[in-house]
Amino acid sequence: MEVLFEALLDAFGLIIDLDPELRAIVGLTLRVTGIGLVLAMVLGIPIGVGLGLSKRIPAAGCVVPLIYTGMGLPPVVVGLFVYLFLSNQGPLGDFRWLFTPTAMIIAQTIIALPLVIGLTLTAIQSIDPMLPLQVRALGATRGQLAWTMLAEARLGLFAAIVAAFGSIISEVGAVMLVGGNIAGETRVLTTAIVLETRKGNISLALALGLILLGLAFLANLVMYRLQVQGASK
Amino acid sequence: MGQAIYALENVQQNYDGRCVLDIESLSVMQGEVLAIVGPSGAGKSTLLRLLNFLEAPFSGSLTFDGETASAEMDIEQRRRVTMVFQHPVMLKRSLDANLHFGFALRGEKLSEELRAEWLQRLGLMGLRTQAANKLSAGEMQRVALARALIVEPDVLLLDEPTANLDPANVALMEKIVREENEKNHTTIVLVTHNVFQARRLAQRTALLIDGKLIEITDTEQFFEQPETEQTAAFVRGEFIY
Ligand SMILES: Nc1ncnc2c1ncn2[C@@H]1O[C@H](COP(=O)(O)OP(=O)(O)OP(=O)(O)O)[C@@H](O)[C@H]1O
Ligand SMILES: [Mg+2]
């Protein structure tokens, strides 16, 4: 018990001192997760809106279950496929992306994408089905209609973004597989926690864990604030 | 009477292979108030969607101000027509933002005076910052009328605009509709179940049954000396479906 307490104190010390190794790990984590999230949003939000607004979803009833399956896909399986694609013998092997942050970004984008599409779709579908016609009747172009629907679904969209962020920042298996947890190159919060715990560096592992928790909390706090604001409006 | 702003020839609309609208010929005159009455399911709302270019007719020709209406029609033309729907849906924004919406779409800014004038006219001044989607049904209906009229359309389509309202608000809505028609010469197509409302507001009245135009004539004549037995029965309130 005392050991744990000391480790916790040390952990706070490390965070307050802004330990350079710690800083590098947090920096890379935010970069990889941030880029992965932005890519997933850029690809996923238009797809989700398109599916939500189209009356007949293409390949009727097949696309949506596929997306929902993707939302529950084990990340480590995604990691495995990305690994196979990027490995020397894989179709994208020539790019030499394996064990680089690029590989991790690819994996995280793929993990986040079904979440963003699925939750965007749900958010768009929760809008009153009679609204789009009324918006067009007031003089909206197609583009303005899509934009208005996005604005109407804004709470659901924020939820999608926060959920995707939470799922990829806390993900270990895929980034470990395709990134390799190389110090100073592909080591992120989650993989570092695994390593430092194994090495017995409990203080550092705890510090990393606290930061991870803090980031996840921050994302949810923002989400909650927006929801409360939206509900009272 | 002036020129026709809409001309329909042999316009049919089909849903799932079923013909719900079949109009041989219909003209809507510039600046008139035309009432369309008829039983539920007659195709009244469908006709308004066509007049608002929200769907293309299955067959036949629909022209607006001499131009054939189509999905590729110029947005500036489309914006000359607005509609108040049977069940208005508000944007999840303030009442103010809902009033401003038509202007925002047109890349224009709603002046403070105009906004105040409309809030005043509809007795909504105290509610301007309230979330529009939390208003009462009657308040929403008034906001829907204001947000459709505030952009000064050439044609206003009204689908049962007073179905949820108490008598005082019905009178208010009718007053505004009449004023817009008289002052701005806004052409108005009014769908209503209420034959008395048609009589109060419209210069001409049409009866639509099963997608077919049974009779269209001056309102006075429609009620006093209808040509068809169906119209007479509908006016007496004893229409057999
Ligand atoms: N999008 C649609 N798909 C399939 N059928 C439709 C659609 N819209 C309308 N219909 C059908 O077309 C017919 C006419 O409907 P419409 O809404 O125009 O009637 P209405 O005269 O406005 O009736 P009410 O007075 O009850 O509003 C109805 O039988 C309706 O079921
Ligand atoms: Mg109707």
Side-chain angles (χ1 to χ4, degrees), chain B residues 133-232:
Chain B
N133 56 319
K134 306 255 164 68
L135 295 170
S136 77
E139 287 162 349
M140 282 191 202
Q141 209 126 30
R142 280 182 277 160
V143 176
L145 180 70
R147 105 186 146 175
L149 271 176
I150 202 166
V151 293
E152 299 195 337
D154 292 335
V155 179
L156 175 70
L157 307 171
L158 296 167
D159 199 347
E160 300 281 355
T162 56
N164 297 316
L165 298 181
D166 58 82
N169 275 309
V170 171
L172 179 66
M173 295 274 274
E174 289 184 2
K175 176 166 164 274
I176 288 171
V177 168
R178 203 176 287 116
E179 281 171 1
E180 288 301 306
N181 174 248
E182 281 167 8
K183 281 194 205 136
N184 295 338
H185 311 289
T186 311
T187 305
I188 289 163
V189 181
L190 164 73
V191 163
T192 179
H193 277 132
N194 184 338
V195 290
F196 301 105
Q197 185 166 59
R199 205 164 182 178
R200 285 194 295 269
L201 287 176
Q203 283 112 46
R204 291 197 304 157
T205 300
L207 175 65
L208 197 65
I209 297 176
D210 283 341
K212 292 203 163 48
L213 207 54
I214 303 297
E215 183 162 353
I216 174 165
T217 181
D218 287 351
T219 300
E220 188 63 26
Q221 184 172 356
F222 186 95
F223 285 96
E224 297 301 333
Q225 300 157 324
E227 268 175 29
T228 66
E229 184 42 44
Q230 280 154 301
T231 308

Side-chain angles (χ1 to χ4, degrees), chain A residues 56 123 126-142 144-145 147-149 151-155 230-233, chain B residues 16 49 52-55 75 78-79 81-83 85 87-93 101-102 104-107 130-131 133-134 147-148 151:
Chain A
R56 293 249 162 73
S126 70
I127 298 173
D128 191 315
M130 291 190 294
L131 185 65
L133 214 55
Q134 307 202 4
V135 167
R136 275 173 60 205
L138 288 169
T141 61
R142 263 175 209 292
Q144 287 175 325
L145 173 66
W147 181 249
T148 305
M149 291 303 113
E152 285 292 296
R154 56 192 178 271
L155 277 183
S232 70
K233 250 194 185 162
Chain B
D16 312 316
R49 284 196 299 275
N52 205 175
F53 324 116
L54 296 172
E55 13 184 285
I75 185 72
R78 276 183 42 209
R79 283 178 177 160
V81 184
T82 59
M83 163 140 67
F85 284 72
H87 304 284
V89 181
M90 297 289 114
L91 295 163
K92 277 188 202 156
R93 308 178 187 179
F101 186 66
L105 293 177
R106 288 159 179 75
Q130 190 160 323
N133 56 319
K134 306 255 164 68
R147 105 186 146 175
V151 293

Side-chain angles (χ1 to χ4, degrees), chain A residues 103-132:
Chain A
M104 299 156 77
I105 290 169
I106 293 172
Q108 296 212 327
T109 304
I110 296 172
I111 294 165
L113 191 60
L115 267 173
V116 173
I117 297 177
L119 293 177
T120 302
L121 175 63
T122 311
I124 294 286
Q125 282 174 338
S126 70
I127 298 173
D128 191 315
M130 291 190 294
L131 185 65

Side-chain angles (χ1 to χ4, degrees), chain A residues 30-120:
Chain A
L30 288 178
R31 206 179 90 209
V32 168
T33 304
I35 297 175
L37 185 64
V38 167
L39 286 178
M41 280 161 58
V42 167
L43 295 170
I45 292 177
I47 297 176
V49 173
L51 288 174
L53 288 184
S54 67
K55 290 209 185 71
R56 293 249 162 73
I57 288 173
C62 213
V63 176
V64 176
L66 212 66
I67 289 162
Y68 289 149
T69 310
M71 288 169 77
L73 212 59
V76 69
V77 176
V78 174
L80 175 61
F81 279 109
V82 173
Y83 182 94
L84 293 175
F85 263 76
L86 298 185
S87 68
N88 272 335
Q89 293 86 353
L92 302 177
D94 290 344
F95 287 107
R96 309 239 161 259
W97 278 341
L98 199 60
F99 305 131
T100 66
T102 307
M104 299 156 77
I105 290 169
I106 293 172
Q108 296 212 327
T109 304
I110 296 172
I111 294 165
L113 191 60
L115 267 173
V116 173
I117 297 177
L119 293 177
T120 302

